[in-house]
Amino acid sequence: MRRVLLEVHRVARDFYRDQLLDAPEGWAAEHLRGRGLGAVLDDSAWGIGYAPDAWTGLTDHLRGLGFGDDELIAAGVAAPTMNGYLVDRFRDRVMFTAENADMEAVGFVGRARGGRVRYLNSPATELYSKSETVVGLSAQCGKLLQGAIPVVVEGVPDALAVDQVGRQWAGISTCGTAITRQHAAMIRQVSPANQIVVAFDADPGGRLGAVRGLDVLMEAFGSVRVAELPPRHDPASLFRQSRSGLNERLASARLLAEFAIDVELAKWGPVLDHVSGQVNALRAVAPLVRQLPSGRVAQQIAGLAKRLDLEPAVVSREVLTPVVRRGTKSRSSRRPQYFEPSAAADPEPDRTP
């Protein structure tokens, strides 16, 4: 069955691609041009297509090639209605192809127009799981093998934008889901570069998503950085405004561990006037400091001492003692232990962490 499902996806991808190329003035092509991404219309590597505005366009095509209804349902490209008719899952959408670690087409992401649900993914199938697939791996494989820095983004248009910034960057989309260990491994297997950049949306959800990806990315890459975008921007919107602006943000990406420290400390703002809040904030970020390159740890310790109004020796002891005791940065010592800031802090707590 797996072989058949892979063939269904290959045929569906080609069908969607032909539909897009047959309507160069249609809304799908105009949508891409309007976002400054018209160049991808001629780039077959991305496999971008269009699902026609018809109930059974793809279904009829696949049936005509001999595929059975059960196979279409199992592949997630069609679904039965309440009346028992089989209809296309994706209709009137710009189509992007999701791939597995072998760069095989195993699912789709469809972008709608108008007031409908903007993005629709394939359902979970024998082949497709959001945690194990990305968009852009095969399209960016050549650049990655030549040393381009992988840039992990949320949306597919973001990956397309990164791709067009220059040969030094390769955009890979997780399709809005959290970065997983499988995602990191997929990218690493085709990337000789030991560095990766995360460029998520400049909103609270994007910042949190970037921080949550730190551990799994550090297992695969020696240097993990985050591109800080202007407020209310994602890579695609910044690219549309300024190609050079996006390139500058990627080039100036900072270490994700340092970014995570800032995000974590921001949670403690209301209680940093009290020593208990300062100490607990230190304990929350200490595991993140230990993930920094050795040459930056001392600088971060000094910075934390100033920001938290604690003695440098106190900060140093909290950060370095677990490393000295274990003799290595074990995975358990690297993972942050998050403390929830309390609404009220003890006004005169013990200063010893």
Side-chain angles (χ1 to χ4, degrees):
M1 175 63 83
R2 176 181 172 80
R3 182 188 61 79
V4 174
L5 297 184
L6 287 172
E7 183 65 11
V8 169
H9 282 88
R10 186 194 66 78
V11 172
R13 179 193 60 199
D14 293 346
F15 172 82
Y16 293 141
R17 179 68 178 166
D18 289 342
Q19 294 293 313
L20 178 65
L21 297 179
D22 288 345
E25 304 305 321
W27 81 263
E30 288 300 321
H31 169 76
L32 292 169
R33 294 191 191 99
R35 302 196 68 165
L37 302 172
V40 301
L41 293 172
D42 299 322
D43 187 350
S44 60
W46 279 97
I48 298 175
Y50 171 66
D53 188 11
W55 286 103
T56 59
L58 177 63
T59 296
D60 291 343
H61 179 69
L62 290 169
R63 281 171 169 168
L65 294 175
F67 292 100
D69 288 2
D70 289 346
E71 293 166 339
L72 273 60
I73 295 172
V77 298
T81 66
M82 294 180 62
N83 295 325
Y85 296 103
L86 195 65
V87 298
D88 294 352
R89 176 175 176 83
F90 300 99
R91 300 185 299 276
D92 195 26
R93 291 177 181 268
V94 180
M95 298 298 293
F96 308 104
T97 305
E99 300 169 327
N100 61 15
D102 295 323
M103 290 181 273
E104 299 168 318
V106 295
F108 296 100
V109 180
R111 203 279 188 192
R113 61 171 167 172
R116 292 182 294 161
V117 175
R118 179 169 293 183
Y119 284 99
L120 178 67
N121 289 38
S122 290
T125 68
E126 177 183 333
L127 299 182
Y128 178 76
S129 169
K130 289 180 68 174
S131 65
E132 299 176 354
T133 56
V134 296
V135 173
L137 192 62
S138 63
Q140 302 290 268
C141 181
K143 292 174 70 174
L144 288 168
L145 291 174
Q146 293 174 14
I149 303 299
V151 180
V152 182
V153 297
E154 295 182 76
V156 181
D158 300 325
L160 296 172
V162 169
D163 179 32
Q164 294 193 56
V165 169
R167 291 184 300 175
Q168 69 273 35
W169 309 112
I172 305 291
S173 169
T174 63
C175 302
T177 194
I179 301 171
T180 66
R181 186 167 285 104
Q182 292 92 332
H183 292 150
M186 290 170 65
I187 299 169
R188 189 65 171 118
Q189 72 179 357
V190 293
S191 175
N194 199 29
Q195 176 180 332
I196 191 168
V197 174
V198 179
F200 278 10
D201 298 0
D203 57 29
R207 288 190 289 272
L208 182 58
V211 171
R212 286 177 172 171
L214 177 61
D215 271 359
V216 296
L217 290 175
M218 287 201 69
E219 291 176 3
F221 292 88
S223 176
V224 182
R225 294 180 174 270
V226 59
E228 296 185 85
L229 305 181
R232 297 180 298 279
H233 272 291
D234 55 36
S237 65
L238 181 56
F239 172 81
R240 190 162 64 249
Q241 176 180 300
S242 171
R243 179 191 298 254
S244 62
L246 177 56
N247 182 60
E248 291 169 3
R249 295 285 177 160
L250 295 175
S252 61
R254 61 187 296 206
L255 289 172
L256 181 51
E258 292 184 341
F259 176 79
I261 290 169
D262 289 346
V263 171
E264 182 63 26
L265 286 180
K267 301 177 184 177
W268 294 87
V271 295
L272 289 182
D273 289 340
H274 304 288
V275 175
S276 63
Q278 296 161 356
V279 170
N280 282 330
L282 171 61
R283 289 172 176 167
V285 301
L288 294 168
V289 179
R290 292 195 286 273
Q291 296 192 45
L292 293 171
S294 57
R296 302 183 74 103
V297 172
Q299 178 183 354
Q300 190 62 237
I301 287 174
L304 284 173
K306 184 175 181 179
R307 294 172 70 176
L308 297 176
D309 194 24
L310 294 171
E311 292 295 327
V314 172
V315 177
S316 181
R317 183 168 62 249
E318 183 64 37
V319 170
L320 299 178
T321 297
V323 178
V324 173
R325 183 169 61 249
R326 295 182 178 92
T328 182
K329 294 183 181 180
S330 69
R331 189 174 168 193
S332 61
S333 70
R334 288 192 293 109
R335 181 175 288 113
Q337 179 182 0
Y338 292 103
F339 294 80
E340 288 298 328
S342 59
D346 182 354
E348 295 183 357
D350 184 357
R351 281 186 174 270
T352 304

